[in-house]
Amino acid sequence: MMLGHNRKKMSGAECMADMLRDYGVTHVFHVPAVLRKTFAVMESRTDIKRLHVHGEKSAAYMADGYARASGKPGVCMAQVIGALNLAAGLRDAWLAHSPVIAMTGGRDPKTKFRKVYQEVDDVPAFEPVTKFNATIDDVARFPDMVRQAFRVATSGTPGPVHLQFRGNEGQLDADEAEMEPLVEPQFARVPAFRPAPDQTSVLAALAVLQQAERPVIVAGGGVRASGAGAELVALAEALQIPVATSLNGKDAIPGTHPLSVGVVGTYSRESANRVVNRADLVCFIGSETGGMTTHFWAVPPIGTPAIQIDIDPEALGRNYPLAAGINGDAKITLARMLEHVDRAGAAKRKPWIAEAQSICKEWYAKYNPSLTSDAVPIRPERMCAEFTRHAPDDAIVVVDTGHAGMWMGGMYDLTSPRQSYMRSAGHLGWAFPAGLGAKCACPERPVLVFTGDAGFWYHIGEVETAARWNINSVTVVNNNSGGNQSKRGFDRVYGGTQTEQARELWTYTKVNFARIAEDMGAIGMRVEKPGELGPAIDKALTLDRPVIIDVVTDIEVLAPTAVT
Ligand SMILES: Cc1ncc(C[n+]2csc(CCOP(=O)(O)OP(=O)(O)O)c2C)c(N)n1
Ligand SMILES: [Mg+2]
């Protein structure tokens, strides 16, 4: 089929519905009313599920969770008045490089600047959170602009895009034109391209890496986007190099692998920071070398010899001067490195591996009492240990930020290369709706969410969405009736000890989320004793219903902070 040779008269709505179907989109998350006609024709022309949710921000988070779980772009939509709510929800996708496509209604040239009801110029607000931010005023542009949206979202370093359609509800979709709803399947998922590295830089980087006595790999989200976990582990094994990950790259290597040292950086595991800071060379793969992963460039300190591999050439050397840099897709690059690797030198790193492993053993010995604690109220470390024991081999584990990110990033171990781990890139409240999106994308895989109560409150209304649409994720709430990650910071500004009244700044009323969930049509379970959590997770995963497990935890327990 040649582009431009199969045009027929059709509406924008028909064109959009056909294109989304042919790109393999299965779900669209929206708050009405936007592209109304498109939604109507979707019903007869496609099997796309049109999820009417409780807020534009959660629609964006669902699309983001869908995208991160499947690699396929997640699609979310809002009318003009909801556009900035949607933009707010793209911020996590932007930070995590997730391919989300947001569509909104926009201004009509006939009436703009006349104080039209609900209208402002939304386009600039999408600028900082998208790779491509465009307006469509003529229906004949549907095919090329939708293709461009998928192209940009999935290629290079992936990320969100925004298309604004003429009319507050995007009524442009009712117009007709001669169009061809052609799609390019290559851009239906990440990565669209796998650019291969040049041979010279592969050999140069290998030479540096093989010479090092105490190298460490830091694997980032680029490894997960590239699906390069197997190649990463193979290279680490061939050269005997310990592997730390960023939070975003946590599922690049199972936590139970003998070369895994944990998540490095700010929300981290002490063993990873200690190993990275003892290394004589750090090899960053698919990592932005950002503040969170490097504990604001203290782990490793700037000046530590470094290698970097990235699909984006502009990322190479941004924060650490490089001994070698490779521009390429992580999976292809690691495969090329494996072809040329000299395994003979690996033996010299025996003492380094032994040191890294003893640092990991020390970590387990130090935290074993809290990981196995029978204390009531329950300690969050024990919750993480139950996740390690009870997450099925093919689970998608979805984690909120703040304390949730610290607890699970540091204390939970993936036990199989088939498990996935996705985490909020900074927004409290992301995990629960993102978990729903992940379950929509991968209905056959168990989805287990870890969130704090403050995180869960944000989008609690989506329990009703989960029940209505049978989105059967299992959400475990670390319920300490407050946002106790904030406690340390308030202790500090009160000069060491808070006043009793200061607790109004970070605590809530005690509630039973299990009961609230039941009222909204989900299954609720309440866990008050540590031994009950594992069996509750096992049971919840058999129910084929959305489940909220409310775990009553200790408000005084704080996560360990990063070591340098
Ligand atoms: C959108 C947003 N607003 C504010 C914050 C700052 N923040 C980080 S953690 C936190 C409280 C977390 O409370 P909860 O989810 O209950 O977890 P806990 O600390 O109690 O374990 C807040 C307000 C944030 N990360 N994101
Ligand atoms: Mg809390």
Side-chain angles (χ1 to χ4, degrees):
M1 201 159 81
M2 263 173 69
L3 179 57
H5 287 247
N6 296 287
R7 294 191 190 183
K8 54 179 189 272
K9 188 156 190 182
M10 64 196 314
S11 66
E14 290 165 335
C15 180
M16 177 69 83
D18 289 1
M19 288 184 79
L20 293 182
R21 177 196 64 209
D22 294 345
Y23 272 113
V25 172
T26 56
H27 295 69
V28 172
F29 307 93
H30 73 106
V31 176
V34 53
L35 301 178
R36 277 188 208 256
K37 179 108 184 172
T38 300
F39 279 112
V41 304
M42 262 182 199
E43 194 170 308
S44 53
R45 297 170 86 91
T46 79
D47 294 322
I48 296 172
K49 294 189 167 67
R50 304 159 299 174
L51 276 79
H52 168 210
V53 308
H54 289 281
E56 293 83 4
K57 179 150 58 71
S58 46
Y61 289 169
M62 287 180 204
D64 185 3
Y66 178 101
R68 291 196 218 179
S70 64
K72 302 194 309 183
V75 179
C76 53
M77 300 186 184
Q79 77 172 51
V80 77
I81 191 65
L84 293 197
N85 297 346
L86 199 70
L90 292 186
R91 186 175 164 140
D92 214 82
W94 171 258
L95 294 172
H97 306 299
S98 171
V100 175
I101 297 177
M103 300 186 182
T104 63
R107 295 176 138 181
D108 194 313
K110 291 199 180 70
T111 54
K112 63 183 182 182
F113 305 118
R114 299 185 68 184
K115 301 293 173 198
V116 178
Y117 179 52
Q118 296 180 325
E119 192 175 284
V120 301
D121 181 7
D122 297 309
V123 176
F126 284 87
E127 206 55 29
V129 292
T130 53
K131 291 175 74 183
F132 179 55
N133 179 23
T135 53
I136 306 180
D137 305 305
D138 185 325
V139 73
R141 301 298 306 277
F142 271 47
D144 75 293
M145 292 297 271
V146 172
R147 280 196 295 275
Q148 189 64 11
F150 277 82
R151 216 176 275 133
V152 174
T154 58
S155 55
T157 303
V161 306
H162 170 231
L163 297 179
Q164 187 200 64
F165 295 82
R166 195 191 76 208
N168 65 334
E169 298 177 353
Q171 291 91 332
L172 179 63
D173 70 346
D175 285 10
E176 292 188 333
E178 294 282 328
M179 289 185 281
E180 178 178 4
L182 181 124
V183 305
E184 300 161 315
Q186 178 172 13
F187 302 101
R189 64 170 56 246
V190 168
F193 291 102
R194 292 193 177 277
D198 68 78
Q199 185 82 342
T200 320
S201 55
V202 168
L203 296 178
L206 260 183
V208 176
L209 192 57
Q210 289 173 166
Q211 216 173 17
E213 304 264 329
R214 306 157 68 82
V216 66
I217 289 171
V218 173
V223 174
R224 94 177 296 271
S226 172
E231 289 78 6
L232 169 80
V233 171
L235 186 77
E237 286 173 352
L239 288 175
Q240 288 296 297
I241 302 178
V243 178
T245 75
S246 70
L247 279 175
N248 222 13
K250 186 169 163 83
D251 59 8
I253 182 170
T256 47
H257 191 283
L259 291 172
S260 163
V261 298
V263 171
V264 67
T266 302
Y267 293 177
S268 60
R269 180 178 292 188
E270 185 174 329
S271 51
N273 285 18
R274 287 179 62 197
V275 169
V276 169
N277 268 353
R278 279 168 178 68
D280 63 359
L281 176 80
V282 181
C283 176
F284 292 101
I285 307 176
S287 163
E288 292 192 301
T289 66
M292 195 52 145
T293 301
T294 62
H295 197 39
F296 301 85
W297 311 287
V299 185
I302 292 186
T304 306
I307 294 176
Q308 203 177 342
I309 299 168
D310 208 280
I311 197 167
D312 174 10
E314 294 175 16
L316 299 173
R318 180 182 286 132
N319 290 320
Y320 292 88
L322 298 181
I326 313 181
N327 178 219
D329 165 70
K331 191 182 181 79
I332 295 274
T333 301
L334 288 165
R336 289 284 158 83
M337 291 171 83
L338 272 163
E339 282 167 23
H340 297 282
V341 85
D342 173 14
R343 290 163 203 265
K348 72 172 177 212
R349 284 188 278 274
K350 269 209 174 103
W352 170 231
I353 293 296
E355 185 179 341
Q357 287 176 341
S358 97
I359 288 172
C360 292
K361 276 207 195 82
E362 280 169 39
W363 182 87
Y364 281 108
K366 179 170 170 184
Y367 285 98
N368 197 49
S370 29
L371 291 165
T372 57
S373 167
D374 286 324
V376 175
I378 297 169
R379 291 185 67 102
E381 299 94 319
R382 176 69 191 265
M383 292 180 67
C384 299
E386 296 302 326
F387 266 65
T388 301
R389 264 195 293 279
H390 293 270
D393 272 3
D394 57 343
I396 300 174
V397 176
V398 185
V399 179
D400 216 48
T401 191
H403 243 160
M406 294 175 85
W407 289 126
M408 286 289 281
M411 307 267 169
Y412 161 70
D413 280 319
L414 285 92
T415 55
S416 150
R418 292 168 59 219
Q419 287 172 341
S420 303
Y421 186 91
M422 306 167 12
R423 78 7 149 172
S424 164
H427 294 86
L428 196 63
W430 175 88
F432 171 54
L436 298 179
K439 188 67 184 174
C440 290
C442 305
E444 71 295 344
R445 293 180 66 183
V447 173
L448 256 180
V449 177
F450 184 110
T451 176
D453 55 309
F456 188 58
W457 276 119
Y458 267 82
H459 305 106
I460 195 167
E462 305 302 351
V463 173
E464 188 277 334
T465 305
R468 181 162 36 94
W469 278 94
N470 260 314
I471 309 170
N472 302 326
S473 60
V474 173
T475 301
V476 181
V477 185
N478 168 18
N479 184 3
N480 52 18
S481 309
N484 81 330
Q485 192 192 28
S486 302
K487 182 173 183 293
R488 275 196 190 102
F490 286 119
D491 283 345
R492 202 167 45 237
V493 293
Y494 274 92
T497 315
Q498 291 176 44
T499 59
E500 202 38 48
Q501 197 185 337
R503 286 172 89 92
E504 73 194 19
L505 296 167
W506 56 276
T507 61
Y508 297 126
T509 326
K510 289 189 172 151
V511 302
N512 179 337
F513 289 114
R515 225 164 38 215
I516 297 173
E518 292 268 341
D519 275 352
M520 283 194 265
I523 305 279
M525 297 181 183
R526 175 103 160 157
V527 168
E528 292 176 345
K529 299 201 188 83
E532 296 165 358
L533 179 55
I537 291 173
D538 291 346
K539 174 91 196 295
L541 289 168
T542 66
L543 293 176
D544 277 329
R545 294 285 309 282
V547 181
I548 308 300
I549 304 179
D550 184 38
V551 184
V552 184
T553 57
D554 189 343
I555 196 164
E556 300 304 329
V557 181
L558 302 178
T561 53
V563 300
T564 51

